[in-house]
């Protein structure tokens, strides 16, 4: 049982690190997009539109919360571990 909890903790930590990394990437991308928009506006050009619709930032967070809930339901996380991991993901 200890091995399973160790693996579960590692999974939670890895998921949290991924969430943080994704959030940093999204913030940086938003900054770059704003700078690019300012540059286009200053030069009098129309802002090019992306050929794809970017995913909503909450989609990744929702998926990670769903994974945590599933791990708790399978007994891989205790309620306390789930609450701690969820708080870390939500930044609270």
């Amino acid at each position: 049982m200890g091995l399973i909890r160790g693996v579960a903790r590692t999974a939670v930590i890895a998921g949290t690190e991924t969430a943080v990394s994704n959030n940093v990437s999204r913030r940086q991308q938003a900054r770059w997009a704003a700078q690019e928009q300012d540059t286009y506006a200053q030069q009098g050009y129309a802002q090019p539109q992306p050929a794809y619709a970017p995913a909503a930032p909450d989609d990744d967070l929702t998926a990670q919360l769903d994974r945590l809930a599933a791990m708790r339901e399978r007994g891989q996380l205790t309620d306390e571990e789930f609450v701690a991991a969820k708080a870390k993901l939500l930044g609270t």
Side-chain angles (χ1 to χ4, degrees):
M1 191 65 160
L3 177 62
I4 292 174
R5 282 205 174 139
V7 170
R9 284 187 186 113
T10 300
V12 169
I13 291 168
T16 301
E17 289 173 351
T18 300
V20 170
S21 175
N22 289 342
N23 287 339
V24 170
S25 294
R26 275 194 290 276
R27 281 194 302 268
Q28 186 64 46
Q29 183 61 35
R31 283 187 203 127
W32 290 339
Q35 289 172 353
E36 187 175 272
Q37 185 176 12
D38 290 344
T39 301
Y40 277 105
Q42 289 171 0
Q43 295 174 356
Y45 295 111
Q47 173 76 17
Q49 297 299 315
Y52 63 92
D58 290 337
D59 288 348
D60 188 48
L61 179 62
T62 301
Q64 290 179 358
L65 290 170
D66 288 343
R67 274 187 253 132
L68 284 176
M71 289 173 71
R72 181 180 61 178
E73 289 172 10
R74 290 190 302 259
Q76 293 174 321
L77 292 175
T78 65
D79 288 339
E80 294 82 18
E81 291 169 331
F82 172 78
V83 170
K86 183 174 87 169
K88 194 177 237 185
L89 281 175
L90 297 174
T92 57

